[in-house]
């Protein structure tokens, strides 16, 4: 089946630094990737939709200058949290839609736990 | 706009018994899909079952089935013969306007 990987699986950083999270579709091409944030014991909230070769579309309330998204190829999207602060600590999950798939199914990565000290 | 409501924060069921998780939704889309996802302690999201809104027949996947009531905007998940491995958070979601919108989740506990 379709596999999506994320790297790193967890990261700890100091306040003010930037962190990059990678999302890769391993066995399919993904024209669209999605980035979600999940706070403890809460649901997944869509942050942005990333289309290969074009600018990401951000959800209301998500700062595009803080959460930089790049989708340079059909198998890779990156999320960079710039100048991270403790309130950015969360679980970040990406998903990818199979370019050749049906039923609008999204395949999810295993997530990245970000802790900002 | 889409909203998804899961009114049961927690549910528990005896092993081998049947449990039903509730979900209601609202959407302005005429063409949409509905999903149930499972999130075990590993936090990996796993698709349990999907339903195309234009199909009247309820979807089934082995021990998992849905009761889709389009007019009532209800999409409940029935788990038959519950197993210990079914313990997880379950999220109901709608896909419309190119977005997945999730409910707040139901934590399912399986009692041995």
């Amino acid at each position: 089946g379709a596999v999506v990987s994320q790297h790193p699986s967890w990261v700890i950083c100091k306040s003010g630094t930037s962190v990059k999270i990678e999302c890769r579709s391993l066995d399919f091409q993904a024209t669209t990737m999605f980035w979600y944030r999940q706070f403890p014991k809460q649901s997944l909230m869509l942050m942005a939709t990333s289309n290969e070769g074009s600018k990401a579309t951000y959800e209301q309330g998500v700062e595009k200058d803080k959460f930089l998204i790049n989708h340079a190829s059909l198998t890779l999207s990156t999320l960079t949290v710039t100048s991270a602060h403790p309130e950015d600590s969360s679980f970040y999950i990406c998903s990818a839609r199979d370019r050749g798939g049906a039923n609008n199914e999204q395949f999810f990565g295993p997530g990245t736990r970000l802790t900002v000290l | 706009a889409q909203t998804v409501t899961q009114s049961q924060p927690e549910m528990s069921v005896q092993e081998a018994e049947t449990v039903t998780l509730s979900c209601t939704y609202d959407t302005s889309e005429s063409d949409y899909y509905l999903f149930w996802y499972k999130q075990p302690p590993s936090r990996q999201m796993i698709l349990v079952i999907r339903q195309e809104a234009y199909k009247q027949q309820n979807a089934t996947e082995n021990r998992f089935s849905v009761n889709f009531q389009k007019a009532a905007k209800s999409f409940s998940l029935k788990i038959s013969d519950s197993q210990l491995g079914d313990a997880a958070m379950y999220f109901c979601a709608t896909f419309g306007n190119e977005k997945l919108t999730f409910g707040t989740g139901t934590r399912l506990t399986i009692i041995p």
Side-chain angles (χ1 to χ4, degrees):
Chain A
V3 179
V4 175
S5 70
Q6 276 185 245
H7 178 80
S9 56
W10 62 273
V11 58
I12 302 173
C13 69
K14 292 183 178 180
S15 184
T17 60
S18 295
V19 174
K20 180 185 284 189
I21 302 170
E22 292 186 348
C23 176
R24 293 182 185 272
S25 57
L26 298 185
D27 51 3
F28 66 98
Q29 292 184 327
T31 49
T32 306
M33 289 184 171
F34 303 86
W35 287 96
Y36 298 86
R37 182 166 52 186
Q38 185 179 31
F39 290 109
K41 297 187 178 182
Q42 294 189 24
S43 187
L44 281 73
M45 299 299 294
L46 180 65
M47 299 175 65
T49 301
S50 167
N51 291 299
E52 186 262 338
S54 64
K55 291 183 178 181
T57 302
Y58 291 82
E59 293 301 299
Q60 193 173 9
V62 177
E63 301 174 57
K64 60 182 178 182
D65 294 331
K66 181 168 186 61
F67 299 99
L68 300 179
I69 292 172
N70 183 278
H71 191 164
S73 78
L74 286 172
T75 58
L76 174 65
S77 177
T78 60
L79 168 68
T80 301
V81 184
T82 62
S83 186
H85 291 285
E87 58 266 28
D88 299 322
S89 298
S90 187
F91 194 68
Y92 291 87
I93 304 174
C94 74
S95 70
R97 188 191 303 168
D98 188 345
R99 184 184 193 186
N103 298 322
N104 291 302
E105 182 176 354
Q106 295 181 22
F107 301 95
F108 285 83
T112 297
R113 182 179 301 281
L114 170 63
T115 301
V116 185
L117 303 176
Chain B
Q2 300 174 116
T3 60
V4 179
T5 302
Q6 292 180 251
S7 59
Q8 305 154 317
E10 296 182 354
M11 291 282 284
S12 60
V13 62
Q14 204 81 32
E15 191 176 3
E17 297 296 310
T18 296
V19 64
T20 299
L21 307 184
S22 301
C23 173
T24 57
Y25 64 92
D26 196 10
T27 180
S28 56
E29 302 295 317
S30 58
D31 183 21
Y32 58 93
Y33 295 78
L34 297 162
F35 300 90
W36 277 97
Y37 283 92
K38 168 184 177 181
Q39 189 180 42
S42 68
R43 307 201 62 179
Q44 172 73 59
M45 296 290 284
I46 301 167
L47 177 65
V48 175
I49 198 166
R50 74 165 70 87
Q51 173 85 40
E52 292 90 340
Y54 63 86
K55 289 187 176 179
Q56 292 186 340
Q57 186 173 5
N58 289 325
T60 62
E61 285 287 340
N62 301 314
R63 298 183 295 108
F64 299 88
S65 62
V66 298
N67 183 1
F68 175 43
Q69 301 290 327
K70 190 171 183 178
K73 295 184 177 178
S74 171
F75 183 61
S76 61
L77 174 70
K78 184 171 82 172
I79 305 174
S80 303
D81 185 26
S82 298
Q83 300 175 0
L84 294 178
D86 295 333
M89 281 291 289
Y90 286 81
F91 291 99
C92 177
T94 66
F95 184 86
N97 194 25
E98 304 299 310
K99 299 179 186 178
L100 257 182
T101 301
F102 289 90
T104 51
T106 296
R107 180 172 300 281
L108 179 64
T109 301
I110 310 297
I111 303 167

Short mmCIF file of all heavy atoms in Angstrom, two decimals, chain B residues 37-63:
data_model
loop_
_atom_site.label_atom_id
_atom_site.label_comp_id
_atom_site.label_asym_id
_atom_site.label_seq_id
_atom_site.Cartn_x
_atom_site.Cartn_y
_atom_site.Cartn_z
N TYR B 37 -11.17 7.27 10.61
CA TYR B 37 -9.76 6.97 10.80
C TYR B 37 -9.54 6.50 12.23
O TYR B 37 -10.21 6.93 13.16
CB TYR B 37 -8.90 8.22 10.56
CG TYR B 37 -8.69 8.58 9.12
CD1 TYR B 37 -9.56 9.46 8.47
CD2 TYR B 37 -7.64 8.05 8.39
CE1 TYR B 37 -9.37 9.80 7.14
CE2 TYR B 37 -7.44 8.39 7.05
CZ TYR B 37 -8.31 9.26 6.45
OH TYR B 37 -8.12 9.60 5.12
N LYS B 38 -8.55 5.66 12.37
CA LYS B 38 -8.13 5.14 13.68
C LYS B 38 -6.74 5.67 13.97
O LYS B 38 -5.87 5.68 13.09
CB LYS B 38 -8.12 3.60 13.60
CG LYS B 38 -7.46 2.88 14.73
CD LYS B 38 -7.45 1.38 14.44
CE LYS B 38 -6.73 0.60 15.52
NZ LYS B 38 -6.72 -0.86 15.21
N GLN B 39 -6.55 6.15 15.20
CA GLN B 39 -5.22 6.60 15.62
C GLN B 39 -4.82 5.87 16.90
O GLN B 39 -5.24 6.22 17.99
CB GLN B 39 -5.19 8.12 15.84
CG GLN B 39 -3.77 8.65 16.07
CD GLN B 39 -3.72 10.16 16.28
OE1 GLN B 39 -4.56 10.73 16.98
NE2 GLN B 39 -2.74 10.82 15.68
N PRO B 40 -4.02 4.82 16.77
CA PRO B 40 -3.56 4.07 17.95
C PRO B 40 -2.52 4.87 18.71
O PRO B 40 -2.15 5.98 18.27
CB PRO B 40 -2.97 2.79 17.33
CG PRO B 40 -2.57 3.19 15.95
CD PRO B 40 -3.53 4.27 15.52
N PRO B 41 -2.01 4.36 19.81
CA PRO B 41 -0.99 5.09 20.58
C PRO B 41 0.24 5.50 19.77
O PRO B 41 0.89 6.47 20.11
CB PRO B 41 -0.64 4.10 21.69
CG PRO B 41 -1.89 3.31 21.89
CD PRO B 41 -2.48 3.16 20.52
N SER B 42 0.54 4.78 18.71
CA SER B 42 1.67 5.17 17.86
C SER B 42 1.42 6.49 17.14
O SER B 42 2.36 7.11 16.62
CB SER B 42 1.93 4.08 16.81
OG SER B 42 0.84 4.03 15.88
N ARG B 43 0.15 6.90 17.09
CA ARG B 43 -0.31 8.15 16.47
C ARG B 43 -0.33 8.11 14.95
O ARG B 43 -0.59 9.12 14.31
CB ARG B 43 0.48 9.35 16.99
CG ARG B 43 0.48 9.40 18.50
CD ARG B 43 0.76 10.69 19.13
NE ARG B 43 -0.17 11.75 18.84
CZ ARG B 43 -0.03 12.97 19.37
NH1 ARG B 43 0.95 13.21 20.20
NH2 ARG B 43 -0.88 13.93 19.04
N GLN B 44 -0.07 6.95 14.38
CA GLN B 44 -0.19 6.80 12.93
C GLN B 44 -1.67 6.75 12.57
O GLN B 44 -2.42 5.94 13.10
CB GLN B 44 0.48 5.50 12.49
CG GLN B 44 0.26 5.12 11.04
CD GLN B 44 1.04 6.00 10.08
OE1 GLN B 44 2.26 6.06 10.14
NE2 GLN B 44 0.34 6.67 9.18
N MET B 45 -2.10 7.61 11.67
CA MET B 45 -3.49 7.62 11.24
C MET B 45 -3.72 6.48 10.26
O MET B 45 -3.01 6.33 9.26
CB MET B 45 -3.83 8.95 10.55
CG MET B 45 -3.74 10.16 11.47
SD MET B 45 -5.04 10.18 12.70
CE MET B 45 -6.43 10.71 11.70
N ILE B 46 -4.75 5.70 10.53
CA ILE B 46 -5.05 4.53 9.71
C ILE B 46 -6.49 4.63 9.22
O ILE B 46 -7.41 4.83 10.03
CB ILE B 46 -4.88 3.23 10.53
CG1 ILE B 46 -3.44 3.12 11.06
CG2 ILE B 46 -5.25 2.01 9.69
CD1 ILE B 46 -3.27 2.06 12.11
N LEU B 47 -6.67 4.51 7.92
CA LEU B 47 -8.02 4.56 7.37
C LEU B 47 -8.77 3.28 7.74
O LEU B 47 -8.28 2.17 7.50
CB LEU B 47 -7.97 4.71 5.85
CG LEU B 47 -9.32 4.69 5.14
CD1 LEU B 47 -10.15 5.91 5.54
CD2 LEU B 47 -9.12 4.65 3.63
N VAL B 48 -9.94 3.44 8.31
CA VAL B 48 -10.76 2.30 8.69
C VAL B 48 -11.78 2.00 7.60
O VAL B 48 -11.93 0.85 7.15
CB VAL B 48 -11.49 2.57 10.02
CG1 VAL B 48 -12.45 1.42 10.35
CG2 VAL B 48 -10.50 2.78 11.15
N ILE B 49 -12.48 3.04 7.15
CA ILE B 49 -13.55 2.83 6.18
C ILE B 49 -13.90 4.16 5.53
O ILE B 49 -13.72 5.22 6.13
CB ILE B 49 -14.77 2.19 6.88
CG1 ILE B 49 -15.72 1.54 5.88
CG2 ILE B 49 -15.49 3.19 7.77
CD1 ILE B 49 -16.75 0.62 6.55
N ARG B 50 -14.36 4.11 4.30
CA ARG B 50 -14.76 5.32 3.58
C ARG B 50 -16.15 5.11 2.97
O ARG B 50 -16.56 3.99 2.70
CB ARG B 50 -13.76 5.64 2.48
CG ARG B 50 -13.85 4.74 1.26
CD ARG B 50 -13.11 5.33 0.09
NE ARG B 50 -11.68 5.30 0.28
CZ ARG B 50 -10.91 4.25 -0.03
NH1 ARG B 50 -11.45 3.17 -0.53
NH2 ARG B 50 -9.62 4.30 0.15
N GLN B 51 -16.81 6.24 2.75
CA GLN B 51 -18.15 6.20 2.15
C GLN B 51 -18.28 7.37 1.17
O GLN B 51 -18.01 8.51 1.54
CB GLN B 51 -19.23 6.34 3.24
CG GLN B 51 -20.65 6.49 2.74
CD GLN B 51 -21.32 5.17 2.45
OE1 GLN B 51 -21.16 4.19 3.18
NE2 GLN B 51 -22.08 5.12 1.38
N GLU B 52 -18.67 7.07 -0.04
CA GLU B 52 -18.96 8.14 -0.98
C GLU B 52 -20.39 8.61 -0.72
O GLU B 52 -21.30 7.78 -0.63
CB GLU B 52 -18.84 7.65 -2.43
CG GLU B 52 -17.43 7.31 -2.85
CD GLU B 52 -17.06 5.86 -2.59
OE1 GLU B 52 -17.72 5.22 -1.76
OE2 GLU B 52 -16.11 5.37 -3.22
N ALA B 53 -20.58 9.89 -0.63
CA ALA B 53 -21.90 10.41 -0.25
C ALA B 53 -22.98 10.11 -1.28
O ALA B 53 -24.16 10.04 -0.95
CB ALA B 53 -21.81 11.92 -0.01
N TYR B 54 -22.58 9.91 -2.53
CA TYR B 54 -23.58 9.65 -3.55
C TYR B 54 -24.06 8.20 -3.55
O TYR B 54 -25.02 7.85 -4.22
CB TYR B 54 -23.03 10.02 -4.93
CG TYR B 54 -21.84 9.21 -5.38
CD1 TYR B 54 -22.01 7.99 -6.04
CD2 TYR B 54 -20.55 9.66 -5.18
CE1 TYR B 54 -20.92 7.25 -6.47
CE2 TYR B 54 -19.45 8.92 -5.61
CZ TYR B 54 -19.64 7.71 -6.24
OH TYR B 54 -18.56 6.99 -6.65
N LYS B 55 -23.38 7.36 -2.79
CA LYS B 55 -23.77 5.96 -2.71
C LYS B 55 -24.72 5.76 -1.54
O LYS B 55 -24.44 6.17 -0.42
CB LYS B 55 -22.55 5.06 -2.53
CG LYS B 55 -21.69 4.95 -3.78
CD LYS B 55 -20.60 3.92 -3.58
CE LYS B 55 -19.79 3.74 -4.86
NZ LYS B 55 -18.69 2.75 -4.69
N GLN B 56 -25.82 5.10 -1.79
CA GLN B 56 -26.79 4.85 -0.73
C GLN B 56 -26.40 3.65 0.12
O GLN B 56 -26.73 3.57 1.30
CB GLN B 56 -28.18 4.65 -1.32
CG GLN B 56 -28.77 5.90 -1.96
CD GLN B 56 -30.19 5.68 -2.42
OE1 GLN B 56 -30.63 4.55 -2.61
NE2 GLN B 56 -30.92 6.76 -2.61
N GLN B 57 -25.70 2.71 -0.49
CA GLN B 57 -25.33 1.49 0.21
C GLN B 57 -24.26 1.78 1.25
O GLN B 57 -23.26 2.45 0.97
CB GLN B 57 -24.82 0.44 -0.77
CG GLN B 57 -24.56 -0.91 -0.15
CD GLN B 57 -24.23 -1.98 -1.19
OE1 GLN B 57 -24.09 -1.67 -2.37
NE2 GLN B 57 -24.10 -3.21 -0.74
N ASN B 58 -24.48 1.27 2.45
CA ASN B 58 -23.52 1.47 3.53
C ASN B 58 -22.24 0.68 3.28
O ASN B 58 -22.29 -0.49 2.90
CB ASN B 58 -24.12 1.05 4.87
CG ASN B 58 -25.19 2.01 5.34
OD1 ASN B 58 -25.10 3.21 5.11
ND2 ASN B 58 -26.21 1.48 6.00
N ALA B 59 -21.10 1.33 3.51
CA ALA B 59 -19.81 0.66 3.32
C ALA B 59 -19.54 -0.34 4.44
O ALA B 59 -19.95 -0.14 5.59
CB ALA B 59 -18.70 1.70 3.27
N THR B 60 -18.85 -1.41 4.09
CA THR B 60 -18.42 -2.40 5.08
C THR B 60 -16.99 -2.82 4.76
O THR B 60 -16.60 -2.88 3.59
CB THR B 60 -19.32 -3.65 5.09
OG1 THR B 60 -19.23 -4.27 3.80
CG2 THR B 60 -20.76 -3.29 5.37
N GLU B 61 -16.23 -3.07 5.82
CA GLU B 61 -14.87 -3.57 5.70
C GLU B 61 -14.65 -4.56 6.82
O GLU B 61 -14.31 -4.21 7.94
CB GLU B 61 -13.84 -2.43 5.82
CG GLU B 61 -13.72 -1.54 4.62
CD GLU B 61 -13.02 -2.20 3.44
OE1 GLU B 61 -12.30 -3.20 3.64
OE2 GLU B 61 -13.21 -1.69 2.32
N ASN B 62 -14.89 -5.82 6.50
CA ASN B 62 -14.72 -6.89 7.49
C ASN B 62 -15.59 -6.62 8.72
O ASN B 62 -16.82 -6.59 8.62
CB ASN B 62 -13.25 -7.05 7.85
CG ASN B 62 -12.41 -7.39 6.64
OD1 ASN B 62 -12.77 -8.24 5.85
ND2 ASN B 62 -11.30 -6.68 6.48
N ARG B 63 -14.98 -6.38 9.89
CA ARG B 63 -15.76 -6.18 11.11
C ARG B 63 -16.30 -4.75 11.27
O ARG B 63 -17.02 -4.46 12.23
CB ARG B 63 -14.88 -6.51 12.32
CG ARG B 63 -14.41 -7.95 12.38
CD ARG B 63 -13.59 -8.22 13.65
NE ARG B 63 -12.34 -7.47 13.69
CZ ARG B 63 -12.12 -6.43 14.48
NH1 ARG B 63 -13.06 -6.01 15.32
NH2 ARG B 63 -10.96 -5.81 14.46
#
